[in-house]
Amino acid sequence: MVYLGGIYLTTLGASLSYPRTKGILLVLIAATSWGVSGTVAQYLFHQQGFSTNWLVVIRLLLAGLGLLLYAHIVGKQNIWSIWKNKQDVLQLVLFGIIGMLGVQYTFFMAIEQGNAATATVLQYLAPVLIALYFCFRTKSLPVNHEVIAIVFALGGTFLLVTKGNIHSLAISSSAFGWGILSAFALAFYTLYPVKLLTKWGTTLTVGWGMMIGGIGLSLFHPPWKFEGHWSPASFMAVAFVVLVGTLIAFLCFMESLKYIKASEASLLACIEPLSAAFLAVAWLHVSFSPIEWLGALSIIATIFILSVVKR
């Protein structure tokens, strides 16, 4: 998955041409697939006994292999060329272990310990962390719209995890902790590989990042060390998480950038946490009160607030 910090809102205006409509539909398909895959993962964890370790290993290895094959066959790229420069290799390994594995593992642990809706929304705190990082890096105080975004993010997080009651948590402390770690991991995942993405392209960089992350986790939890209950439903769920929720969603998002701007795609991708929340409530009967919906929408609103001015 791609999140951009410090993007600016462009006027959608104008009438939708066919290519533009195609781009919007592609990014909506990608974002919805990401959101639904989180809820499907919750089904695997809570109802089929699957473990985060196994699902993350399988997702990274299979999706990474799929992206590399796509880059080689469709993109006509030499997938091994990225390994010729020592500095690129070091950056790629760090991106794969800390960025790719980090964001996948923390996100799925947040789902396993809590639910997909809360985990996805908490991960959307990443743009606020990115804005704070740029303030620290430039040694400047947050400007007005960044202060507003921070207030919305903190307020939304409070409502989401407490339901407005300061004396109790609506989710477990472990689910909250993994969700916050997921936001930090996503911020690193977004900021760190910029040079690699510019030099080698997104598909090749992300494909190798997934493979490296999957291989790294395999050293501690081999993919053949399975936990869970296999059934036709669980098999289809795993296939959906790997193929639709990862590989196809990523390719749809990247294809959408041919027709619409990255800033627009990032804003449209905000339906991801909403799709995760709606499906979790409708399918898995996750309790989501009006206060929690307000908290979720407050966090999602930070994306729009941070998009007003280019940082």
Side-chain angles (χ1 to χ4, degrees), residues 286-300:
V286 172
S287 175
F288 222 62
S289 68
I291 293 294
E292 288 173 294
W293 280 114
L294 179 60
L297 293 175
S298 296
I299 292 174
I300 296 170

Side-chain angles (χ1 to χ4, degrees), residues 3 8 17 19 26-27 30 37 45 76 85 162 172 189 191 200-201 209 219 244 254 257 264 300-301 306:
Y3 293 79
Y8 61 96
S17 62
L26 283 170
V27 74
S37 71
F45 296 149
K76 307 298 182 182
N85 184 287
T162 67
S172 67
Y189 167 93
L191 292 171
W200 298 105
L219 299 177
V244 180
M254 295 309 301
L257 299 180
E264 297 170 340
I300 296 170
L306 291 174

Side-chain angles (χ1 to χ4, degrees), residues 82-83 85-102 188 192-193 196 205 208-214 216:
I82 196 171
W83 293 93
N85 184 287
K86 292 182 179 180
Q87 185 175 3
D88 290 344
V89 170
L90 177 60
Q91 291 180 350
L92 186 61
V93 171
L94 289 176
F95 169 64
I97 298 298
I98 302 177
M100 184 62 69
L101 176 58
F188 178 87
Y192 183 76
L196 289 172
T205 302
W208 274 118
M210 286 183 172
M211 287 296 292
I212 292 169

Side-chain angles (χ1 to χ4, degrees), residues 164-289:
N165 183 359
I166 196 172
H167 299 294
S168 65
L169 290 178
I171 61 174
S172 67
S173 57
S174 59
F176 175 67
W178 283 113
I180 295 299
L181 286 176
S182 176
F184 275 96
L186 182 57
F188 178 87
Y189 167 93
T190 303
L191 292 171
Y192 183 76
V194 172
K195 292 182 180 179
L196 289 172
L197 294 171
T198 302
K199 184 175 181 179
W200 298 105
T202 308
T203 305
L204 192 60
T205 302
V206 173
W208 274 118
M210 286 183 172
M211 287 296 292
I212 292 169
I215 293 171
L217 185 56
S218 296
L219 299 177
F220 301 93
H221 191 95
W224 55 83
K225 189 177 179 182
F226 173 73
E227 299 174 28
H229 173 67
W230 278 116
S231 66
S234 61
F235 177 82
M236 292 179 63
V238 171
F240 183 93
V241 170
V242 174
L243 296 178
V244 180
T246 309
L247 184 60
I248 294 176
F250 174 81
L251 293 176
C252 284
F253 187 89
M254 295 309 301
E255 183 70 15
S256 74
L257 299 180
K258 295 179 181 179
Y259 308 104
I260 61 176
K261 296 180 180 180
S263 56
E264 297 170 340
S266 297
L267 292 175
L268 290 169
C270 289
I271 71 165
E272 178 189 349
L274 295 178
S275 63
F278 280 120
L279 186 60
V281 171
W283 177 32
L284 301 180
H285 307 295
V286 172
S287 175
F288 222 62
S289 68

